[in-house]
Amino acid sequence: MMNSSENWPEQDLEWLGKCPACGGEHRSQLFAGLRDLAFQVAPGTWTMWRCLGCEAAYLDPRPSENSIGRAYQNYYTHKQPRSAISDRRKRIKIRRQMGYYNAHYGYDFPGAWPFGKFIFKLDHAKASRADYAIRHLPAPSRKDAMVLDIGCGNGSFLLTARDLGYAAVGLEPDGDAVKRGLAAGLDVRLGLLPDSGLPKSSFDYIFLNHVFEHLHRPREAAAEILSLLRPGGRVWLSQPNLNAIGLSLFGEFWRGLETPRHLCLYTCKSLTRVLHEAGFIDIKMLPAEAVAESYFRQSLAMQQGLNPQQTESPPGWEIDGKKQARAADKAAFRTPERGESLAMTARRPG
């Protein structure tokens, strides 16, 4: 756990003076004195700026690329990988989901419950969780279809993609997570964007699930993603939404800030701009993911000075917090631009 009196070493800081998403120099201060409240391992306080051009927000100064690894000592990448559609602990739920996937994504899973498509159609939150479990991935159009999961962590989505009929490759900067993935029989490579070293024009789909906000050089990364896709291939990105309802309610305690690991946060406008300037077309925003309960619960814990990773709910959560979170999810269903997370897809021309 971090020592609150320490600072991030001066020699391991980068000063930007401009927005990493668009290069603009006009900005206003959004937050000062931010701390690592989410995992409580990174020392120092941080300032977040709002770009007056593209609307992105970014840390300046920030940890250097060579030093940022110290902020990931207790991260999600160290858990055991599990597929979202073959977890034996959830057999009944998965059979319902498979019925939904067969009807809406073109799959042909045997043993699926046909009425599953109706259950999910009537429950937006349930459908949202099912969609995001497979990251809106349709059935493969050919036998050699391949996906790349950037920042794949422990490799859980690689297992899911493989169960969906795809060949799957993972790219991950955490050496321990890479070892876990390899031990599970997965194709996981050590690295991150840009300069991944992966072969160009090789992938039908590329995924970045809560990864893009961690990248030091987002514009270079977007250009490399485009080059790694086959012509007509698609990228899928999900990250905390800078226009989230939760940010307006919790401010510096909002879980999506995750200082200093989240280097740059985006709105629909700013992320669209990054993708468009990289050469992507058909840029679309996806329906909001129903995740407000997770964001609000952890934000409330941090607001009260508690560890957001603890299993017990913070005071006030069961009475008012959960109700407030569910209302936020319903609002995001009507207005995806206000969801806690922001998900978009885009296509390489060709």
Side-chain angles (χ1 to χ4, degrees):
M1 185 172 292
M2 66 181 179
N3 184 334
S4 59
S5 65
E6 293 181 358
N7 288 316
W8 198 268
E10 187 83 7
Q11 67 273 17
D12 291 333
L13 291 173
E14 294 178 349
W15 279 264
L16 302 178
K18 59 183 179 181
C19 174
C22 74
E25 297 181 357
H26 298 290
R27 65 187 189 178
S28 61
Q29 185 174 288
L30 185 60
F31 293 110
L34 294 174
R35 294 179 293 120
D36 179 11
L37 302 177
F39 288 93
Q40 303 177 5
V41 295
T45 58
W46 309 89
T47 301
M48 176 166 278
W49 302 87
R50 187 73 181 263
C51 177
L52 299 181
C54 75
E55 298 182 355
Y58 58 95
L59 297 183
D60 190 14
R62 66 187 186 182
S64 65
E65 290 188 63
N66 292 331
S67 70
I68 189 67
R70 297 200 295 271
Y72 291 87
Q73 298 172 37
N74 186 26
Y75 208 58
Y76 302 116
T77 54
H78 300 154
K79 297 179 180 179
Q80 185 66 25
R82 295 184 184 276
S83 170
I85 62 170
S86 62
D87 189 339
R88 293 184 177 181
R89 302 171 304 167
K90 304 177 182 179
R91 287 182 180 178
I92 295 177
K93 176 182 176 181
I94 288 172
R95 291 180 69 185
R96 290 198 303 259
Q97 283 185 207
M98 286 181 172
Y100 175 72
Y101 296 148
N102 286 354
H104 291 271
Y105 288 96
Y107 289 97
D108 187 23
F109 290 117
W113 290 4
F115 60 82
K117 63 180 180 181
F118 300 110
I119 295 176
F120 287 86
K121 185 176 181 180
L122 296 173
D123 189 328
H124 167 257
K126 193 183 295 291
S128 170
R129 286 189 287 270
D131 292 333
Y132 279 89
I134 63 169
R135 301 182 188 174
H136 305 84
L137 183 61
S141 58
R142 62 174 189 271
K143 291 183 179 179
D144 63 344
M146 183 175 291
V147 305
L148 170 65
D149 189 17
I150 297 174
C152 66
N154 60 12
S156 288
F157 186 71
L158 300 181
L159 290 174
T160 299
R162 195 167 65 182
D163 288 342
L164 294 173
Y166 287 86
V169 176
L171 186 68
E172 170 59 41
D174 185 328
D176 290 337
V178 171
K179 291 178 183 178
R180 283 181 177 270
L182 292 173
L186 301 170
D187 185 353
V188 183
R189 322 282 178 87
L190 182 65
L192 199 58
L193 295 178
D195 308 319
S196 68
L198 293 170
K200 309 298 183 184
S201 301
S202 297
F203 302 98
D204 297 273
Y205 292 90
I206 293 179
F207 298 91
L208 294 93
N209 184 44
H210 289 265
V211 170
F212 205 67
E213 67 273 18
H214 295 261
L215 301 180
H216 281 76
R217 293 174 281 164
R219 289 182 288 172
E220 293 179 40
E224 184 167 337
I225 292 167
L226 185 81
S227 73
L228 295 175
L229 284 166
R230 290 171 174 160
R234 292 188 177 273
V235 63
W236 180 101
L237 306 96
S238 177
Q239 58 268 299
N241 182 11
L242 195 57
N243 279 340
I245 293 172
L247 179 60
S248 65
L249 293 173
F250 293 101
E252 64 185 284
F253 301 104
W254 182 56
R255 178 61 180 83
L257 293 178
E258 202 182 303
T259 311
R261 287 163 294 275
H262 290 178
L263 304 174
C264 188
L265 296 174
Y266 303 84
T267 63
C268 181
K269 174 184 174 181
S270 53
L271 186 56
T272 297
R273 178 169 175 169
V274 172
L275 295 172
H276 175 75
E277 291 183 351
F280 284 96
I281 61 174
D282 294 342
I283 303 169
K284 298 177 182 178
M285 185 176 185
L286 293 168
E289 186 177 9
V291 290
E293 286 197 32
S294 174
Y295 275 78
F296 278 40
R297 180 184 177 278
Q298 294 185 62
S299 299
L300 182 61
M302 292 189 292
Q303 192 176 54
Q304 297 175 357
L306 304 174
N307 181 355
Q309 310 301 328
Q310 66 184 5
T311 56
E312 296 104 4
S313 297
W317 171 250
E318 296 296 338
I319 299 173
D320 297 316
K322 188 179 293 187
K323 180 179 179 181
Q324 191 177 40
R326 289 175 177 173
D329 270 338
K330 289 181 180 179
F333 173 64
R334 297 187 298 269
T335 310
E337 293 82 359
R338 299 301 311 280
E340 298 307 295
S341 66
L342 170 68
M344 301 185 74
T345 62
R347 181 170 66 86
R348 174 180 171 177

